[in-house]
Every structure is written in structure tokens, then in C-alpha cells.
Amino acid sequence: KFDDTFINGDATADAKAFDGLNKLCNSAQAVSMGTNGAALTLDRLDELIDKIKPGKPDMLLLSRRTRRQLTSLSRATGSGILESDRNQLGQMVQYYDGIPVAINDWVSDAQTQGSSTDCSSIFALQFGEGGVAGLTAPGGLLVERVGSLETKDASRFRVKWYVSLALFNIYRLGKLLGIRPS
């Protein structure tokens, strides 16, 4: 639920949700692949990265299909624009121009761009108190023991997490939209 809301949340449509990246991204920070979308190009991806000021994004967030397109572009150019390395936890991570590439399964591959309904997006983010930041209520994640179940040898717990997302500077979040399958 959190991952979905992080991308697609809309507090006006659901009072228990927060505004996600789609809603927080300012239209001036959006780069379009075209009226009806188009296949991903490295030039457009670089244009998205240039929208983030100052410096580079801390992360590129995209769907699995778009990551496959980016990998295919890297192979086709033979330039080795995608690198792999281990992060602080020892997990393998891909990097584009030194920027970590992350997958979120809630970045849809069925977005509408003009007459196309098979488009996706890439988000470029800078995190921190000057950019995109997570907010939580005092106490953070709360776990309450509700009690034992009468029908089984088990206990029930309630987890409460009052969380939101904030964008403190519009230049710290950008979106490349209209990415069609190649």
C-alpha cells in the first residue's frame, strides 16, 4: 500500500492517503516523450536529469519494463552507460551516469499519453529536507497487541503508521512521461 501511494497517492481522492510523486511533480518539471509518447531515448533521460537542480538526482525510479528498455539502449550504444555495483547493504544496484536506478512496481506501464495507453514514466528525485522527504507522526511506527485469537493458537497485532510525503523544492523532483515500449 505504501509503495502504491508513494507513486499514485491522491489525498483529494482518498482522505486516508497522501499525495504521491505523480501528484507532487510540478508540470514545469515534466519532460514528455511526445504527444502520443515514444520509445525511451538517452537524450530525453538526460533532459530529465538536467531538470533537477542543483546537482544530480539521488535516484531514478521506474518500472521494470522501462528498466529493460534502458538496459537495451545501453547495449545498443555500446557505451556502458549503465554500471552495476554493490550498495552499502551488499546488494547489486544499477547506475545511470552515477545515479542509482530503482524499480517500483507501482509505476504503471499503462498510462495514457495522447492516444497511447501503454506509456510509462521515470521519476528523478533528490531526497532530504530540501527535496523529497518522508514525514511521520511522533513515535513513528506503532505496534499494539490486540490479543489472542479464540479460534487459533495465535495473537493479533495492529500496526499504525501515520506517514506522508513532502516536496520542499519543485526543482528536486522531475518526471519523464510518455515512454512507450520499443
Side-chain angles (χ1 to χ4, degrees):
K1 180 73 176 169
F2 177 83
D3 285 349
D4 180 16
T5 307
F6 185 80
I7 300 295
N8 303 305
D10 184 349
T12 57
D14 180 359
K16 294 183 179 183
F18 55 87
D19 287 341
L21 296 181
N22 274 321
K23 187 94 171 170
L24 290 175
C25 188
N26 188 292
S27 60
Q29 288 293 101
V31 176
S32 175
M33 290 300 301
T35 304
N36 296 314
L40 178 65
T41 66
L42 298 179
D43 288 337
R44 288 288 192 200
L45 184 55
D46 289 340
E47 188 178 340
L48 170 66
I49 290 168
D50 290 343
K51 289 270 188 187
I52 306 303
K53 299 172 189 164
K56 287 184 178 182
D58 294 325
M59 176 187 293
L60 296 174
L61 191 61
L62 40 87
S63 71
R64 293 175 191 275
R65 182 187 81 185
T66 306
R67 192 230 18 235
R68 288 191 303 271
Q69 284 181 276
L70 184 57
T71 303
S72 178
L73 275 173
S74 177
R75 284 188 201 116
T77 60
S79 62
I81 56 168
L82 278 180
E83 302 169 349
S84 294
D85 200 0
R86 294 197 182 274
N87 66 9
Q88 301 91 323
L89 303 174
Q91 300 166 323
M92 291 303 291
V93 177
Q94 282 187 316
Y95 295 87
Y96 174 79
D97 193 23
I99 305 164
V101 175
I103 303 298
N104 184 304
D105 290 324
W106 294 98
V107 177
S108 175
D109 290 329
Q111 298 171 15
T112 300
Q113 177 85 7
S115 62
S116 300
T117 58
D118 58 352
C119 297
S120 191
S121 299
I122 296 176
F123 294 95
L125 308 95
Q126 270 188 359
F127 295 109
E129 62 183 63
V132 178
L135 306 173
T136 187
L141 195 66
L142 303 172
V143 180
E144 291 178 354
R145 184 176 179 355
V146 176
S148 299
L149 298 176
E150 293 178 11
T151 58
K152 308 180 193 181
D153 187 21
S155 294
R156 181 168 289 159
F157 293 87
R158 179 176 294 124
V159 177
K160 296 179 187 177
W161 190 28
Y162 300 103
V163 64
S164 187
L165 195 59
L167 176 61
F168 293 104
N169 184 331
I170 66 166
Y171 299 108
R172 307 290 175 94
L173 173 63
K175 178 179 175 182
L176 176 59
L177 49 105
I179 302 167
R180 300 205 52 222
S182 48

